[in-house]
Amino acid sequence: QVHLVESGGRLVQAGGSLRLSCAASGRTFSSGAMGWFRQAPGKEREFVAAISWSVGNTYYADSVKGRFTISRDNAKNTVYLQMNNLNPEDTAVYYCAAKLQVGRIDARSLYDYWGQGTQVTVSS
């Protein structure tokens, strides 16, 4: 059973930075990808970023390109999301997710495991 635990969410002022972490346990990932999604109140969960476990290819939503950076530490089975220049529109619960198969990475239906989420609140 795969278990994903996010951490690092908190209240931050606009223009500030945060680093989210997602620790995975239950299996060692050698293929597929890890992704970050977010869900703001009253909105659907949306793709933020993803990284492949094997090669480390990264993918970003247009709304976060140039501000967010996803990275991984294979030895620790951990994925990070560095978020810079945050704005109030980034306020959401951030979820990490793991998909075991290669292929499309921005569709939440393709992910096999999900964490419980961590709250990020950006004040203006």
Side-chain angles (χ1 to χ4, degrees), residues 38-86:
R38 66 186 181 186
Q39 187 166 17
K43 295 187 177 181
E44 292 193 357
R45 193 171 300 187
E46 65 175 3
F47 170 76
V48 175
I51 187 167
S52 64
W53 275 113
S54 57
V55 180
N57 291 332
T58 57
Y59 310 86
Y60 297 95
D62 289 342
S63 59
V64 306
K65 278 181 182 176
R67 300 189 298 123
F68 291 11
T69 302
I70 189 170
S71 61
R72 76 198 193 293
D73 185 329
N74 289 34
K76 295 182 179 180
N77 247 16
T78 299
V79 174
Y80 305 97
L81 186 67
Q82 178 66 43
M83 306 186 295
N84 298 328
N85 194 22
L86 287 160

Side-chain angles (χ1 to χ4, degrees), residues 32 108 112:
R108 62 184 182 179
D112 303 286

